[in-house]
Every structure is written in C-alpha cells, then in structure tokens.
C-alpha cells in the first residue's frame, strides 16, 4: 500500500515510462520498423528527442558539462576506475563493460578512452555520469602529474592491476598507439549519435526477447558492482595488497580529508588495520587511551563491510547524544558512497529493519535499541545479513542493566551467526582475557596518545606531578603563584581561579565537579572573581550565544548562564535541555566559550577535549572516584592537532591523600557480568527471548547457551553458593509461574545425553518450553519483566473506561514505571494542578485510583488512614507534567509550574516516548488491546517531538532539535525536501550560529532520509509491478518442466 499517494503515483508513472523504453514483448519480430508499437520514441518531446537535445547542448557547452550531475554523489571508486579503461557497448540484451588493462604514458599515468554512449543514461549512478563527463574535458590533463598526488600513508597507496573476473566482458589488449588515436580524434569522430545508439540498443533488446524486468535496475546493479570490484578483489587477494585505501576506494580517503581533515593515519591505526586477525575477519577487541583515534579504525572496517562485502553493519553506542553525533558525521559518507545510515535510539527505528535489495544499511543504535534490532533480525532469519557489529565503550558490559542487555545482544549474535564479525573497543579495559574468551576475539592494545598527557595532584598551594617511579607515586612540581585576599580565599579555598586563569581564555579548560549544583556554583564563583578583561574576549560571539539560547528557549535564559557566558564560562550537566547542551557544546568547540564546569557524564559523552582538565574533588556525588572514571575524565586533556601537551590536575584534601595515591597507581577495575545481578532485566529477559526466538527451548540448550555467555566465562568467580544449573532452573521456574512461559513434556535422546553430562534430574530434562502470549508481548515490547504484570493490568483496566476526551489517560498508561518509583511529588503543586483539571480529566484520576481528597490531605499535611499505592500516585503526577508539556510545548513554563529542572522534564519526555513505543509493540502482540494500536502510534510521535506539527518533518533530520527546527522553519525551510536541496553556504548565512560542518551534516542527513523514503517507494512500485512468484502460469510451467 502506498502511504504517500502523490509521490507513489509519480513514481509509478515514471517507472512505467522506463518499462516502456527498456522492455518489450517476448515475441519474434522481424521488422525493425514496428518494434516500438504505439510508443513513438522518435517523436518531438520523446525520450530520444530529449536525449538528442541534451547531446547537442553538451557538445556546444563542454565547459559546463561537469555541473550537470549531482555533486552529492561522486565517483565511488574513482581511484580504482582511473587505473582501468572503461567503455560501454550494448549487444542484444546484455550490456557489456569493456575494461582494458591500463597503459602507462611516459609520465606514468593511465590513458583512458571511453565510448560516448554512456553520457545520458540517466538512471546510472550520477557518480558514473560525473566520471564519464570529466573524461570529456580532461584528456589534456592526463599527463599532469599534479592531478594524482596524494599525501597519505604510503602503505595504503598500492593499487590492484589484476584482471577483473567478470562474465561476458571483453578484455582486448590496447596499445599506446591505439589509445592515443582515440584521445586525439575529433569530437565528431569520438562520439556517435546518442539517438542512433539508443535506437540500436532498443532494437537489439527487442530482438533478443528480453524477459520482463527493469533494465535500468540491472544496469545500475552492474555498474555499482563493477565500481567496488577492485576493492573486493583486494580483500580476497594477498594480505600485503591493500588496494587504494585499506581495500577501499580512494574516494573514502578523499572524503576523510574533505570532511574530517584526516590526511594521514597514526602508525597504530595502520598496524591494527593490517593485523592478520582483521584481514581474516576474526573478532577483535582493541584498547587505547581516550583521544587515541579508536573510532577511525572502526569506521574503516565498517566501510569495508558495507561497500566491499555488501553486508549490513550495526554500531552500538552508549548514549542517544553520541548516536546522533555519529549519524550526523557519517550521513555524508552514506550519501557519497551509496549506503543508508539509520538511527535506532529513543523511539526511532523500524523492527524488523527494512530489507533492501541494493544499498546496504549502517544501523547506529543505543544499547537497548541494538538488542531489539538483533532480536528482530534473528526472528526474521536475517541475522546473517549483519556482517559486522561494532561496540564502543565495551567496558559498559559490566555496568548494571545496560551491561546485561549488551551481553545478551553479543551472546545471541555469537550463538546464531557464524559469519558476523564483532569488534569491541574501549579506553578502560582490564580483565581482557575474560572478554576475549567470551567473544572468541583477538586483542590489540597500544599506549599511543596523539598528545602527551601530564598528570598532577594539588594539595593546598603545592602541585605535584604523578610519577610512578617516585617512592610515594608523586614528585613536587611547583607552588601556585597567585595572590589571594582573605575574602577571595573564603570564596575560592581550592584556588580554582588561579588554576583556570593559567589557560583561559586562549586555551580551553574543563572543571569536573561532584554534583550538578556544584557545577553551577563553581561557574558563578569563578565569574565573580575573574577580571573584567575576560568580557572583551570574543565579546560579539558570546553575545550571539546568549541571543541564540534565548531563541531556542522562547525568550527564557538561565540566570547563571546569563551571568557566566559573557566571561566565556558555562556549566554542563543533565539539567540543561538538549537544545541548550548542543548550543553550548558548539560554542565551546568553536572557542567562544573557554571553560566548562561539568559532571562526570561529559567524560563518557560527546567529545569535548581541553588543554587542561581539573577535577574539583576525587568524588562523583558521594562515591569516591573509581580508576576507570578518573582515566576517562583526564583523557579529555589535550586536543590533537591543537595542543602539544595536555594537563590534568586533581584537587584533594589531606584526608583523601592516601586514597588518591592508591587511585593513581592501581590498575583499572575489572568488569563483571551483570546477567544474574540484574535479575528481571538480565537472565529472565534473556531466557524469555531465547525461547521466544526459538534459539533454545529446552533446559539443556538454554544451559549450553548460558555457558557461552560472559557470565558463563566468569561463573567460577561470580557463583559462590549456587551453580549455573541451579540459577537456570530457578529462573525458568519463575517465568513459568509468572505466566510468561509454559512447559511441554518431552524426553529425547539428546536430552538424556545432556542430562548425563550435566547431572541434572531426569524430571527437569523432560521439559521443553514455549512462550505464552503475555510472554511474547513482553519480549517484543522489551518491557522490564518487573513491570509486565502491572502494564497488562493497567491496559486491561483502561479498556473498561478509556477516557479519550483528552490525552491524559493514554499518557498515564505510557508514563515509565521506573521513573515513577524515583519521583517525590510536591504535594501543593500536585493539589493545585489536580484542582485545575476538567471533570473528564479528574475522572481519569478516579479510574486509576487517586482521589482529590487524598491529594488535598497530603498537601495540608493531614494523616491518611486509607492505603493508596505510592507508585500509582507518583505515576499520575508525572503524567500531569507530560500532559501539561504536550499542551504548552514549552519546557521552561512547565519547569516553573512543577518546580522541576528542565533537563529532568526533557529526560522524562524522552523516556515516555521510548516507553510508549514499547507499549505499542506490547499491544501489537495481544489481540485484546487492538484499540490501543492506532492511538499509541500518534501519541508516540507527539511525545518524540513535542513541538508544533509544522516542525516535525524538520526534526526527523538527525541533530535538528526544536530550536534549530524553528530557525530553519522561519527561514523558509519547511520540509525535508527543502533541507535536502539546501546549499550549506546559504544556510550558514541564513541561520544564526550554524557552522559550515553542521550545515553540511544537516543537508547530508536530509538527503539520506529523502533517498531512503524515495527508495522505499520505488521498491514498493517495483513490488506492485513484479509478476507474483506464485502466478498460476509460472507454477504450471515449472511443474511441467519438473
């Protein structure tokens, strides 16, 4: 069914037009004059007439021809193709590619000849059109050595000169003399009439009884496969022959220079990419200090998989913000190289993903969404289409419920697919041997840092350098030279101002603080003491930052930021909205802001390096700092390409000295499996999905699966009182009692054999399991099993009297349970909001079990005898917050009404959007909840964007948040098509505080989304026009042949 009818109709019409040009009835035709029936291909305004006009224009204006193609999709394998002579001819129904071995002239460059017939085959990739057109104007430049110079790793500069194994391809040897003749002949002789050529082609096709399928599609597929054939060849050839750029087209190298400014790889990156284990596609774990350039290696391996092996890739990242940053950075590569970049974060992502026949997909996902994606691929038997899985921050496998989910994801991939490669990377790994055994992986490590890092400790006025060779681990460096008055000493007892003024405003500085409130206080304190001279540094740009902060916040501005930004200082923590954080990060990266006071989350989040990093205290909240956290924070010191050194200074009191000395000298903490510790989100969820996906359905198989997990590897360390077998049996029993699983009695020879091996009781081995409807709904919706009963009851109760006069009832049903349990309502605000509800809205409160009388008593401090479920009360309070936010779409006013941090409200909103999506999938599996399905689709969209309807299309583009969407809309960019066709240079001039890099990323992301939608529609059109495989005539003929 075509969802966008107008576009679908246009596509259908265009496609039918193409079919009429390229396809013909499979009957014998002797006369060439009636070949095309009623289709007058040679009439005025016909396709061939247009071709002829186009040819004439190009011949008259050759200097403008290079602008006729889409510059967004240039030659994918330009370097590889430049080393071959490529010409096209058409014989019968087969388009033949003639690839002549390249010949060298005296200056050592390839001589290229080309048949002219390809110039206006409008459906071939525009990269090919550009290549052919550039040849027309570049014959005189072929001898110019400057056109081929590259500044790159010499090891990556090898090219492949072997014959390509292509069926039906002629490869005549061409001499220097003959190619020279072609080059020097006149335009008239070099080009035969395109009209005649296409007419002959059509005639040949008609005579050859072409089967009914899209000819243009075949042509596109042939050309794309030829483009990357050289790269594929190098991967299959000897390990020393790396092709133009690590088995990739040199186009990739050019893109890294153009968009990321990377001209040369570090030595360790080259060493890692040329490892035998990498070439043989073995699983790999690699570990380097922060800022060492780990991500580039992963990106090159991902591009190899997408372009050369033609497989999909999954990249798992820890946070939504990092997912969006990565998508923005790689969208340009997707557009240029012909693959899709798809976001799986929050409520975004399709399950199962769209199955594409041509372009491959790079899925960039959070840990939770990555798990759901893998589940859907296993369920649809497509897991082998996933060629590579990359996990950033692999050490997170040891961190709570998210670690348990990551472990489940990787364990399932290892168990179900023998062809999927896994790459894990981290800056803070210690017990690598356990992870190696779990992932069956090789290990690579290096201590390389592009910028030297010097670690210091500050005690009172003295600064000591961390020195592992010294007796107590540190040596005296210097005394602080900064004059403090008695008043200043009271305001700044830790001499923070003295430390930061040594680097700001010319260099950047990060100050890590234990709490969010401390971040704001420290920023304000520093600005009270700083000299007024700091106000003059980039004064105009800082004024622009304040102006833009007001614009994205409907005229509101945090009073702390209003005071600190003129000094180039700001705080950074989760209390800010996404829009504010993004704007401040951009200003910091541009050098407008020179100092951030921040919490530890910045160290694990987006990349914001600094010349100096100061740790305000060796604590995160009230917990003493861990070695892993310390290494991540100080890892932000030193900016590659800008600073020669980076410095970290840890401020400590005398009482913490011994603990800090142990901190800086001890090894990194080990990471341990969280599968059993996180019971409902870990082992129980795992067992439910194993049985639901039919990966393992009896006790023996489940136990065998568990033995191959990270937990299975560490069971001797983690299990003291119970065995893995006992935990497995106990978990399955719990799931059965909860009604999520059912037992089936079986006794097989395999089961008896496993029983003897594991020493389980015969009774236990007589059971196989299958998932119940409730179990399947919980597993498909990725619902925390601690809440699946409650969710089912709430939805069931909602059916009895669902209030649809407002969104409040639906919002209550999609408010996350885990956030409600952590909520502490302000009872006076609760009562005030309750009393403002309409009768229908108050009816919702009564239906869920919360009365106005109860809230009134709580607000007035009266004793309450009647017991009311605290979680229900808290959940309704958060529902009020979300309901008010959807009505007003202004976080600032809602923040003021409920006296909540605006960042918390935004986290609540994104949590509700994600949970709403989960509840939707839950309801899709239970027929009784059919009524919720359509309602939740719309609600999820409202919660995801929470803006006026006209801004939603713009916010589909990765990295475009509400503030930026409003700016774009006001500037006239009102749709995805507008953004996709925008000129980045015009955007920079039109939109305030938009850098060139951001403008290019927005346009690339929009183009990618548009291409994705267009291709989906195109494939739908093809599907409608394709002859069904079960068509009676076809079935009958196949039976006869048999």
């Amino acid at each position: 069914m075509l969802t966008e009818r107008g576009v679908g109709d246009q596509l259908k019409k265009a496609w039918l037009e193409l079919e009429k040009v390229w396809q013909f009835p499979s009957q014998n035709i002797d006369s060439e004059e009636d070949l095309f029936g009623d289709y007058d291909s040679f009439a005025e305004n016909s396709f061939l007439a247009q071709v002829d006009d186009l040819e004439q224009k190009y011949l008259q204006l050759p200097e403008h021809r290079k602008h006729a193609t889409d510059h967004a999709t240039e030659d994918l394998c330009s370097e590889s193709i430049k080393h071959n002579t490529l010409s096209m001819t058409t014989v019968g129904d087969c388009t033949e590619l003639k690839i002549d071995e390249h010949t060298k002239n005296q200056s050592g460059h390839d001589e290229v000849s080309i048949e002219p017939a390809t110039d206006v085959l409008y459906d071939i990739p525009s990269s090919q059109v550009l290549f052919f057109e550039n040849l027309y104007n570049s014959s005189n430049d072929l001898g110019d050595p400057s056109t081929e110079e590259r500044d790159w790793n010499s090891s990556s500069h090898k090219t492949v000169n072997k014959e390509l194994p292509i069926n039906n391809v002629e490869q005549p040897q061409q001499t220097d003399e003959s190619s020279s003749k072609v080059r020097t002949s006149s335009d008239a002789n070099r080009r035969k009439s395109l009209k005649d050529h296409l007419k002959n082609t059509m005639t040949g096709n008609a005579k050859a009884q072409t089967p009914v399928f899209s000819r243009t599609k075949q042509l596109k597929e042939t050309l794309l496969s030829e483009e990357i054939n050289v790269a594929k060849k190098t991967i299959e050839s000897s390990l020393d022959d790396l092709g133009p750029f690590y088995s990739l087209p040199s186009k990739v190298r050019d893109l890294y220079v153009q968009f990321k400014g990377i001209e040369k790889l570090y030595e360790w990156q080259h060493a890692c990419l040329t490892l035998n284990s990498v070439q043989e596609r073995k699983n790999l774990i690699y570990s380097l200090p922060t800022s060492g350039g780990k991500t580039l290696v992963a990106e090159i391996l991902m591009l190899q998989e997408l372009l050369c092996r033609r497989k999909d890739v999954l990249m798992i990242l820890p946070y939504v913000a990092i997912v969006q940053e990565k998508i923005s950075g790689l969208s340009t590569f997707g557009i240029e190289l012909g693959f899709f970049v798809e976001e799986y974060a929050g409520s975004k992502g399709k399950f199962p993903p769209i199955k594409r026949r041509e372009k491959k997909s790079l899925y960039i996902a959070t840990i939770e969404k990555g798990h759901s994606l893998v589940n859907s691929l296993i369920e649809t038997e497509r897991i082998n289409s996933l060629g590579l899985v990359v996990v950033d921050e692999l050490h997170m496998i040891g961190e709570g419920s998210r670690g348990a989910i990551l472990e489940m994801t990787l364990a399932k991939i290892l168990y179900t697919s023998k062809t999927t490669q896994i790459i894990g990377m981290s800056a803070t790994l210690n017990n690598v041997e356990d992870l190696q055994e779990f992932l069956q992986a090789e290990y690579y490590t290096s201590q390389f840092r592009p910028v030297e890092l010097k670690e210091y400790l500050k005690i009172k006025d003295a600064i000591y350098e961390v020195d592992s060779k010294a007796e107590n681990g540190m040596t005296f460096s210097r005394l602080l030279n900064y004059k403090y008055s008695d008043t200043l000493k009271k305001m700044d007892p830790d001499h923070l101002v003295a430390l930061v003024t040594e680097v700001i405003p010319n260099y950047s500085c990060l100050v890590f603080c234990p709490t969010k409130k401390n971040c704001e206080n420290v920023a304000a304190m520093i600005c009270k003491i700083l000299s007024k001279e700091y106000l003059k540094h980039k004064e105009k740009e800082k004024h622009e930052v304040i102006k833009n902060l007001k614009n994205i916040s409907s005229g509101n501005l945090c009073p702390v930021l209003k005071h600190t930004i003129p000094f180039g200082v700001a705080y950074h923590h989760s209390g800010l909205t996404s829009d504010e954080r993004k704007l401040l990060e951009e200003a910091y990266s541009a050098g407008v802001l020179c100092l951030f006071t921040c919490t530890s989350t910045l160290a694990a989040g987006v990349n914001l390096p600094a010349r100096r990093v100061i740790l305000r205290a060796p604590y995160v909240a009230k917990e003493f700092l861990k070695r892993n956290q310390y290494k991540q924070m100080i890892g932000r010191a030193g900016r590659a390409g800008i600073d020669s050194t980076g410095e970290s200074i840890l401020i400590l009191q005398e009482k913490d000295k011994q603990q800090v000395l142990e901190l800086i000298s001890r090894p990194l903490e080990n990471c341990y499996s969280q599968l059993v510790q996180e019971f409902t989100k870990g082992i129980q969820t795992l067992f439910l999905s194993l049985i639901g996906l039919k990966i393992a359905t009896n006790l023996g198989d489940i136990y065998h699966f568990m033995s191959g997990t990270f937990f299975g590897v560490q069971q001797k360390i983690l299990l003291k009182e119970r065995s893995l077998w006992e935990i497995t049996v106990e978990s399955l029993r719990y799931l059965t009692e909860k009604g999520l699983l059912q037992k089936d009695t079986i006794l097989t020879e395999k089961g008896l054999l496993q029983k003897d091996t594991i020493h389980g009781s015969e009774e236990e081995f007589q059971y196989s399991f299958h998932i119940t409807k409730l179990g399947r709904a919980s597993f498909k919706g990725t619902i925390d099993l601690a809440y699946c009963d409650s969710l089912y009851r709430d939805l069931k109760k909602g059916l009895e009297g669902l209030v649809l006069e407002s969104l409040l009832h639906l919002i209550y049903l999609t408010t996350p349970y885990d956030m409600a349990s952590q909520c502490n309502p302000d009872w006076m605000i609760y009562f005030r909001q309750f009393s403002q509800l309409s009768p229908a809205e108050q009816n919702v409160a009564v239906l869920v079990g919360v009365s106005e009388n109860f809230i009134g008593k709580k607000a007035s401090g009266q004793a309450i005898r009647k017991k009311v479920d605290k979680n229900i009360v808290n959940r309704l309070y958060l529902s009020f917050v979300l309901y008010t936010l959807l009505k007003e779409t202004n976080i600032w006013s809602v923040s003021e009404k409920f006296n909540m941090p605006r960042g918390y409200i935004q986290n609540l909103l994104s949590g509700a959007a994600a949970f709403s999506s989960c509840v939707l999938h839950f309801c899709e599996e239970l027929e009784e909840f059919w009524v919720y399905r359509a309602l939740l689709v719309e609600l999820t969209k409202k919660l995801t964007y929470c803006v006026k309807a006209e801004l939603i299309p713009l916010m589909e583009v990765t990295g475009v948040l509400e503030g930026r969407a409003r700016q774009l809309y006001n500037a006239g960019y009102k749709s995805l098509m507008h953004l996709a066709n925008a000129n980045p240079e015009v955007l920079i001039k039109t939109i305030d505080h938009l850098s060139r890099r951001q403008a290019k990323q927005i346009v690339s992301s929009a183009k990618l989304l548009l291409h994705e939608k267009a291709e989906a529609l195109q494939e739908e059109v093809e599907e409608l026009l394709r002859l069904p495989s079960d068509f009676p005539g076809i079935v009958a003929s196949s039976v006869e042949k048999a």
Side-chain angles (χ1 to χ4, degrees), residues 248-454:
L248 286 166
S250 60
K251 176 69 178 174
V252 175
R253 177 178 59 199
D254 299 341
L255 289 173
Y256 273 109
V257 174
Q258 184 182 349
F259 294 111
K260 299 198 175 187
I262 298 171
E263 296 188 357
K264 193 171 182 179
L265 270 66
Y266 298 131
E267 282 183 21
W268 82 263
Q269 291 170 330
H270 172 69
C272 187
L273 285 166
T274 52
L275 287 172
N276 285 350
S277 53
V278 172
Q279 301 291 321
E280 293 163 12
R281 294 192 76 252
K282 291 180 180 175
N283 294 346
L284 175 72
I285 299 168
Y286 62 98
S287 176
L288 279 99
T290 303
S291 304
K294 295 184 295 296
T295 308
L296 180 60
V297 169
E299 286 180 9
I300 290 171
L301 293 173
M302 291 192 299
L303 291 172
Q304 284 180 0
E305 203 67 34
L306 288 160
L307 302 177
C308 302
R309 297 190 183 96
R310 306 294 291 156
K311 289 286 190 86
D312 295 327
V313 174
L314 168 61
M315 186 179 202
I316 298 175
L317 300 170
Y319 304 110
V320 174
I322 304 177
V323 167
Q324 292 176 340
E325 183 183 43
K326 184 58 65 182
I327 284 177
S328 296
L330 290 176
S331 288
T332 308
F333 284 73
I335 287 288
E336 297 280 348
L337 301 172
F339 61 86
F340 288 114
V341 182
E342 299 185 36
E343 180 180 350
Y344 280 78
S347 60
K348 291 186 177 179
K350 296 182 179 71
F351 301 103
I354 296 169
K355 190 174 183 179
R356 305 185 190 282
R357 291 196 303 278
E358 291 179 21
K359 292 184 180 179
K360 296 302 167 185
S361 291
L362 168 57
Y363 309 114
I364 302 183
T366 55
I367 291 169
E368 294 79 8
K369 287 288 181 178
H371 182 226
S372 298
L373 181 65
V374 167
N375 281 344
S376 69
L377 289 172
I378 292 171
E379 187 175 28
T380 53
E381 298 181 348
R382 288 167 52 195
I383 189 66
N384 287 323
S385 69
L386 203 58
L388 174 65
V389 175
V390 173
V391 181
D392 195 8
E393 310 295 355
L394 184 61
H395 61 270
M396 288 193 74
I397 201 168
E399 295 182 13
S401 61
R402 306 193 80 214
I405 293 168
L406 181 56
E407 181 180 344
M408 288 188 274
T409 307
L410 296 175
K412 286 175 188 173
I413 293 166
L414 288 165
Y415 195 85
T416 58
S417 175
K418 302 304 176 192
T419 59
T420 304
Q421 185 184 15
I422 296 174
I423 306 281
M425 51 183 172
S426 175
T428 54
L429 282 178
N430 190 32
N431 55 331
V432 181
E433 297 81 6
D434 289 348
L435 283 164
Q436 273 186 271
E437 188 179 340
F438 165 47
L439 295 176
Q440 301 148 40
E442 303 284 323
Y443 179 56
Y444 178 86
T445 187
S446 167
Q447 292 307 307
F448 172 81
R449 252 187 138 265
V451 177
E452 183 190 2
L453 173 61
K454 293 182 179 178

Side-chain angles (χ1 to χ4, degrees), residues 2-20:
L2 293 176
T3 52
E4 297 181 35
R5 193 160 188 165
V7 180
D9 289 343
Q10 284 183 319
L11 274 170
K12 188 171 180 180
K13 186 178 176 183
W15 201 254
L16 287 169
E17 187 82 358
L18 282 171
E19 295 290 319
K20 288 173 81 174

